[in-house]
Amino acid sequence: MENRKAMVIGTGQMGAGIAQVLASASYNVVLYDLDTQALQKGISKIETSLKKAVQKEKIKECEMNETLARIQDTTSLSNGDDADIVIEAIVENLEVKKEVFKKLDQIVKKEAILASNTSALSITELGSVTKRPEKVIGMHFMNPVPVMKLVEVIRGLSTSEETYKEIKSITESLGKVPVLVKDFPGFVSNRILMPMINEAIYALYEGIASKEAIDEVMKLGMNHPMGPLQLADFIGLDTCLFIMEVLHEGFGDDKYRPCPLLKQYVKGGYLGHKVKRGFYEYE
Ligand code: 3HC
């Protein structure tokens, strides 16, 4: 994959992680965000993560420097106009994503694939605002991106077999495992994970057990690395609520109704680990 160019849109937890794994796998990466402050934050997340890998002797210092040198940060989308693949990882808002896809379609070379890291939104709908719906696909990475093996690959109604094969091969080149799913709300990962998290929140809301007890049951009883409430904090409670709303609206089934306690936490700004308070408090 030497000399291949990728553009990553968004420098949040996911965008930074995606840029890191692409650069580590020898892609030249253009990392885009709206302002330089966001870009600096994104780059420093990548630096911190790579430095930890050096300390643990997983990579050499020179490899870290080479990886960082492959990442070019920019606030101009046109710096990625010759990218072979674009991966969008911005806020989970369909209208905002559609605007970005429209712009990308005009700017990026016509052979390029436009992928979205959306956790639940319709790939078909994103593809429909472009003139290349056959080249639009979902590439759903898991958090933390450098650690988690899965990439859920979502084929929209118009995504071509050629695009899917290309994304499968790119995913494998990153040392990840692609799993193909169809384009329905929440795909497979969040259709299963989020109702479980929502049910854990209901158990807390109904006073069935303490938060610690609920997490212990799932950690010790089911061998989950994190309890569901801890995981919700890690993912972000606003993201969890958003995904439940997409499932609820998309399927029109009340089994996906978000727990009132989840709504209350989000309204109160208890968004989880990123703001240092959610179900738990963080230093
Ligand atoms: N970046 C890079 N590496 C990281 C990392 C990060 N952010 N966080 C942890 N690691 C690495 C550590 O360096 C360590 O590596 P080592 O074993 O080689 O030393 C390894 O991961 C284990 O980390 P720790 O020992 O610090 O801690 P844990 O054993 O508790 O593991 C965890 C941390 C990997 C986050 C683990 O708790 C876990 O797997 N949690 C569940 C994660 C999960 O479910 N993710 C999916 C969320 S859903 C999603 O992303 C979809 C979205 O749409 C909502």
Side-chain angles (χ1 to χ4, degrees):
M1 294 296 158
E2 203 87 28
N3 298 325
R4 293 204 73 185
K5 188 163 175 180
M7 174 154 68
V8 177
I9 314 288
T11 51
Q13 204 60 42
M14 299 305 283
I18 295 167
Q20 182 186 326
V21 295
L22 282 164
S24 300
S26 296
Y27 286 81
N28 293 313
V29 179
V30 175
L31 180 58
Y32 167 88
D33 211 318
L34 290 171
D35 59 72
T36 45
Q37 215 182 341
L39 281 168
Q40 267 164 17
K41 263 191 178 174
I43 295 287
S44 85
K45 272 183 224 150
I46 298 171
E47 277 171 357
T48 308
S49 179
L50 290 172
K51 275 181 191 156
K52 274 191 194 154
V54 173
Q55 276 160 14
K56 288 185 174 174
E57 295 180 357
K58 284 187 198 166
I59 58 169
K60 296 193 185 104
E61 195 169 344
C62 61
E63 287 175 273
M64 173 182 81
N65 293 333
E66 281 161 19
T67 300
L68 287 170
R70 279 193 284 269
I71 304 175
Q72 176 203 353
D73 57 330
T74 184
T75 54
S76 165
L77 279 181
S78 49
N79 277 339
D81 59 357
D82 57 344
D84 301 295
I85 175 174
V86 182
I87 305 178
E88 166 276 314
I90 61 164
V91 61
E92 286 288 65
N93 176 314
L94 187 60
E95 292 315 311
V96 178
K97 282 192 197 281
K98 277 183 178 174
E99 279 311 305
V100 168
F101 271 73
K102 267 189 215 164
K103 276 190 198 154
L104 288 171
D105 192 36
Q106 285 159 10
I107 292 171
V108 185
K109 68 180 182 189
K110 63 180 192 314
E111 307 79 40
I113 293 176
L114 306 182
S116 174
N117 177 57
T118 180
S119 52
L121 292 171
S122 167
I123 298 302
T124 305
E125 210 170 333
L126 290 178
S128 75
V129 301
T130 71
K131 293 196 174 70
R132 58 179 110 181
E134 73 288 354
K135 291 197 166 288
V136 175
I137 194 162
M139 223 180 159
H140 184 205
F141 290 80
M142 301 292 129
N143 191 12
V145 178
V147 181
M148 306 300 277
K149 283 279 170 207
L150 175 69
V151 176
E152 200 175 25
V153 178
I154 305 109
R155 267 183 88 158
L157 214 50
S158 311
T159 313
S160 68
E161 179 68 15
E162 194 190 346
T163 300
Y164 163 62
K165 282 191 178 145
E166 179 76 13
I167 288 299
K168 182 173 180 283
S169 138
I170 290 173
T171 302
E172 285 164 352
S173 75
L174 304 178
K176 309 262 178 222
V177 179
V179 176
L180 177 63
V181 308
K182 287 186 183 161
D183 186 23
F184 285 94
F187 317 129
V188 170
S189 56
N190 280 321
R191 185 168 176 177
I192 296 173
L193 175 66
M194 280 306 154
M196 184 202 69
I197 287 177
N198 196 44
E199 206 55 37
I201 302 171
Y202 264 109
L204 182 67
Y205 176 61
E206 291 169 7
I208 309 291
S210 68
K211 54 181 185 285
E212 292 85 2
I214 293 165
D215 278 346
E216 274 311 75
V217 166
M218 299 306 286
K219 277 199 286 188
L220 301 182
M222 284 75 190
N223 237 0
H224 289 193
M226 285 176 166
L229 299 173
Q230 193 191 358
L231 182 57
D233 274 357
F234 177 66
I235 292 168
L237 300 195
D238 48 346
T239 304
C240 294
L241 177 58
F242 173 77
I243 295 168
M244 285 311 295
E245 282 168 344
V246 169
L247 292 171
H248 197 196
E249 200 205 316
F251 292 111
D253 189 333
D254 268 354
K255 76 178 177 182
Y256 298 113
R257 75 223 174 285
C259 178
L261 186 62
L262 175 60
K263 289 184 180 174
Q264 190 191 40
Y265 270 64
V266 172
K267 278 189 187 146
Y270 289 61
L271 303 183
H273 197 267
K274 61 188 163 191
V275 297
K276 308 218 181 302
R277 67 177 186 183
F279 291 108
Y280 296 90
E281 288 193 356
Y282 303 88
E283 284 310 309

